[in-house]
Amino acid sequence: MQNSLTIGVLALQGDYDAHAQALADVGATPKLVRAPQELTNAQGLILPGGESTTFLKFLEREGLLDSLREYVATHPTFGTCAGCILLAKEVLQPAQASLGVLDATVERNAYGRQVDSSIQIGETSLPGGPLEMVYIRAPRIQKTGKDVEILAERDGFPVLVRQKHLLAATFHPELSADRRVHRYFVQMVEEFAASRFGSSSRQKTTDQP
Amino acid sequence: MAEHIGNSANNNGSNGLRLKIGLAEMLKGGVIMDVINAEQAEIAEKAGAVAVMALERVPAQIRAEGGVARMASPKIIKEIMHTVSIPVMAKCRIGHFAEAQVLQELGVDFIDESEVLTPADELHHVDKHAFKTPFVCGARDLGEALRRIAEGAAMIRTKGEAGTGDVVHAVKHMRQIVKDMRALTVLGEEELYAAAKEHRAPYELVRMVARTGKLPVPNFSAGGIATPADAALMRQLGAEAVFVGSGIFMSDSCTLAAPKEAEARARAIVRATTFYNDVKVLAETSEECLGAMKGLAVSALEPEALLQTRGW
C-alpha cells in the first residue's frame, strides 16, 4: 500500500493509542481527533474502547455530537466496545444517548464486571481462521437489523458486525497481535475512497499530518 | 508485549494479566475520582469520570482524623457499584491480602493497594498474581514501580502526597520515574545487570524498560492533584491518566465542598485531563473550576506524617 490513508481515532479518552498503533501496523496513517475540525482530513474514523459515558459527556460539551453524527452517517467508521455502544441505535443498561447509526440494540456491561472479562478464540467469516477476542467489561449486541452483516458471534450473539460503511466489535482487536480486523477496516476505507473519488484521484486525498 | 511480564506460576496465566492491563488501557486519558458515597459517585460519573474509587474517608479526612485507616465497608462499596455504570475501584491496606480477597469477592473492578490506608504488613506487599482482579500500586521511582509490577500490579501511579492538595511530590515521583526510564534506554546490554541491582528490581523488567523506554503497564498519576492545571501538568509530564482524591469533594481537610462546587471542579479537571496540551481549553477550565481545596503544603509536614514512605 503506497498511498497511506489517513484514519482518525477519537482521542477523548480510552485506548486510542493502541488503535493508532494497530492502524500504523497495517499501513494507514492514524490521526488523533479531539475537535470537530480535526475530522476534515480523515478518510475513516475509529471510536476506541474506553468509558462510553465519559465519551458522551465530551461529545455533548465540546460540540462534537452533531459533527460526529454527520461524519459517521457518511464515512467509514469502526467502533470497538465503548465505540460500538456509541454507534448503536439503542443502548440498554442504562439507556443512554448515542450516535444512532448502527441498526442494533447494545446492552452495556452485559457479561458482568472486570472479573468476568475474558479472552476467547472464536470463529469469524474473515479469512484466516479463528480470531482471538479480548472482552473487557464488554457490551452485548442483543439484536440487529436486516442490513447488518454478522462477521463473528459469541454464544449466539453477534460480536463483530458490518452495516455498509460501519464496522463494530464488542471486543478489542486493538489489544491482540492479530491485525486482521484493522486490515479489514482499512480495506473498507480504501474501497469507500475509491468508489467516491475514483481510484485515480486517491493519491490526492492522502494527507500528511 | 504484555505477556512477557506474566508470571507463569500464577493461577491465571499471561492472558489474565493481559485482561488486567486491558482495563487499565481503557481508563487512559481519564480521571478516577475518590468518592465516599453513592451521591458523590453519581456526581463523578455525570462529570465524566472514567472510574470512581470507593472509600469511607478521603485521604484529607484520614490525615486530619488519624486512627487506623482500613478498607471501606462493603456496604458503601456495593451501594456505589449499584449506582454507577463506570468501573469501581477500592483500596486495601498494603500487604492485607484478606481485604483484597473481600474486594475481589464484592466484584470491584480494580484494587488499589494503597499507602493512604494504614499498612498491614511492614515487609510484604500483596501477591497480586494470585488475584483475578487487577491491582494498581503507588511508586516514587522506577525501582519501586518495577517491584510492584513483578508482584503483579497492572497499573502504576505516582504516590504523591495524598490528601494535601499539594502536587509537588506527584511531580517529583513522575519526573523521577521518567528520568530513570530515560537513563536505562542509553545503557549497554552489559550495564543492565548493575542497573537492576541499583534499582532493586528484576533484571527482566529492567531490560524491558531499557528497550521500550516505558513501563510495561499504564503509568498514571495520583497524590495532591487539586486543580485542572495540576491534572494538565501531570499529563504533560507523562502521566497517562490521573487520580483525584480529596481535591474534588473537599474544601479543606474536614469540610465537604458544596455539591455544585464539587461538580464544577470535577468537570473542569476531566476536561483539562483530555485537553492537557491545549492552553486555550486549560484557561477555560481553570476559570470554570470553582475554588480549590485549601490544602497542606507538603514541605511543612513532619517526615513521620508522610504517607508516601509506606511500602518499599
Side-chain angles (χ1 to χ4, degrees):
Chain A
M1 203 186 319
Q2 314 92 310
N3 305 326
S4 173
L5 293 161
T6 298
I7 298 182
V9 183
L10 189 68
L12 299 170
Q13 183 272 314
D15 72 337
Y16 50 84
D17 280 333
H19 273 292
Q21 184 59 54
L23 285 173
D25 287 350
V26 298
T29 306
K31 179 190 181 187
L32 300 186
V33 173
R34 294 191 173 100
Q37 65 273 16
E38 287 166 338
L39 285 167
T40 354
N41 300 326
Q43 288 157 293
L45 179 68
I46 288 184
L47 308 174
E51 282 307 312
S52 62
T53 53
T54 306
F55 288 2
L56 273 175
K57 302 297 169 204
F58 273 107
L59 298 188
E60 288 162 3
R61 286 174 204 158
E62 305 298 325
L64 261 163
L65 200 53
D66 288 338
S67 39
L68 213 53
R69 270 206 181 110
E70 215 170 280
Y71 186 92
V72 302
T74 52
H75 293 76
T77 304
F78 175 26
T80 63
C81 197
C84 167
I85 295 169
L86 272 193
L87 288 176
K89 278 201 172 140
E90 191 185 12
V91 181
L92 306 174
Q93 197 184 319
Q96 64 185 35
S98 66
L99 299 172
V101 282
L102 178 69
D103 193 2
T105 301
V106 177
E107 183 190 351
R108 292 184 58 205
N109 300 328
Y111 297 94
R113 309 193 67 96
Q114 173 63 11
V115 285
D116 308 298
S117 293
S118 65
I119 297 178
Q120 317 254 334
I121 306 289
E123 292 296 329
T124 171
S125 54
L126 297 187
L131 183 69
E132 181 189 78
M133 301 168 186
V134 180
Y135 294 92
I136 294 172
R137 287 173 48 96
R140 180 157 53 206
I141 300 175
Q142 297 288 21
K143 54 176 196 246
T144 52
K146 62 174 170 31
D147 289 335
V148 178
E149 183 190 353
I150 294 166
L151 303 174
E153 285 183 339
R154 171 180 174 185
D155 308 327
F157 290 96
V159 294
L160 178 64
V161 298
R162 176 174 180 177
Q163 175 190 314
K164 298 192 180 91
H165 64 289
L166 302 174
L167 185 67
T170 60
F171 59 97
H172 294 280
E174 71 279 14
L175 296 184
S176 293
D178 191 329
R179 292 289 180 234
R180 271 182 288 161
V181 181
H182 282 83
R183 199 166 290 129
Y184 180 82
F185 178 62
V186 170
Q187 231 161 31
M188 278 173 62
V189 179
E190 263 174 347
E191 282 160 16
F192 183 82
S195 70
R196 207 175 180 198
F197 306 110
S199 50
S200 59
S201 66
R202 199 192 302 159
Q203 207 157 358
K204 293 204 182 75
T205 63
T206 304
D207 249 286
Q208 293 306 320
Chain B
M1 189 187 345
E3 45 269 80
H4 300 307
I5 60 171
N7 174 355
S8 55
N10 72 63
N11 64 10
N12 51 31
S14 64
N15 273 1
L17 191 62
R18 286 178 63 203
L19 284 170
K20 293 172 179 178
I21 295 173
L23 180 57
E25 291 282 339
M26 299 307 144
L27 302 175
K28 278 185 178 175
V31 181
I32 300 142
M33 300 183 193
D34 280 3
V35 297
I36 56 168
N37 54 39
E39 191 193 346
Q40 288 189 353
E42 221 175 329
I43 293 176
E45 184 174 52
K46 276 203 183 123
V50 289
V52 291
M53 176 79 69
L55 288 161
E56 232 160 286
R57 299 182 286 168
V58 295
Q61 291 170 303
I62 292 171
R63 189 180 281 285
E65 291 166 14
V68 176
R70 309 182 179 92
M71 166 186 82
S73 144
K75 188 168 165 277
I76 293 178
I77 296 171
K78 276 158 110 177
E79 252 171 49
I80 291 169
M81 283 167 57
H82 284 138
T83 306
V84 294
S85 63
I86 53 178
V88 175
M89 303 186 173
K91 290 185 195 290
C92 76
R93 287 182 258 176
I94 288 175
H96 206 314
F97 52 85
E99 282 188 350
Q101 288 162 357
V102 171
L103 295 175
Q104 173 163 280
E105 179 59 28
L106 292 175
V108 305
D109 298 290
F110 237 101
I111 298 173
D112 183 3
E113 185 183 20
S114 176
E115 68 283 1
V116 166
L117 305 183
T118 312
D121 192 321
E122 293 176 339
L123 207 54
H124 305 285
H125 283 250
V126 173
D127 170 16
K128 293 162 274 286
H129 290 293
F131 289 80
K132 209 175 171 197
T133 305
F135 277 75
V136 51
C137 290
R140 289 161 297 172
D141 53 36
L142 181 63
E144 191 171 4
L146 296 182
R147 290 192 289 277
R148 298 293 86 76
I149 293 169
E151 294 160 357
M155 180 200 293
I156 291 297
R157 54 167 178 78
T158 57
K159 278 179 160 175
E161 190 53 33
T164 60
D166 187 349
V167 77
V168 63
H169 280 189
V171 170
K172 183 181 175 184
H173 300 161
M174 187 54 74
R175 280 201 183 275
Q176 187 65 47
I177 291 172
V178 170
K179 183 178 142 196
D180 291 344
M181 292 195 293
R182 209 178 282 148
L184 283 186
T185 60
V186 296
L187 294 185
E189 280 287 324
E190 77 287 0
E191 294 175 299
L192 294 177
Y193 303 98
K197 171 178 167 263
E198 210 171 289
H199 286 296
R200 295 188 292 137
Y203 164 75
E204 286 73 18
L205 292 176
V206 168
R207 195 180 57 170
M208 200 178 290
V209 174
R211 286 193 179 159
T212 61
K214 56 191 187 103
L215 293 180
V217 305
N219 186 13
F220 290 14
S221 183
I225 296 164
T227 68
D230 285 352
L233 174 69
M234 295 317 303
R235 290 277 275 140
Q236 289 187 36
L237 286 173
E240 294 174 302
V242 298
F243 288 79
V244 183
S246 318
I248 288 170
F249 291 101
M250 302 303 289
S251 61
D252 62 44
S253 307
C254 315
T255 326
L256 286 171
K260 262 230 148 58
E261 195 176 318
E263 202 181 319
R265 281 191 209 165
R267 281 174 65 150
I269 292 175
V270 165
R271 203 160 167 238
T273 303
T274 287
F275 297 100
Y276 66 99
N277 259 334
D278 184 334
V279 283
K280 201 167 147 272
V281 178
L282 286 186
E284 282 170 24
T285 58
S286 301
E287 193 176 335
E288 286 160 13
C289 191
L290 303 174
M293 73 180 287
K294 182 163 170 262
L296 287 169
V298 172
S299 56
L301 294 176
E302 296 294 333
E304 55 271 27
L306 293 179
L307 302 176
Q308 60 185 270
T309 49
R310 295 167 167 182
W312 53 280

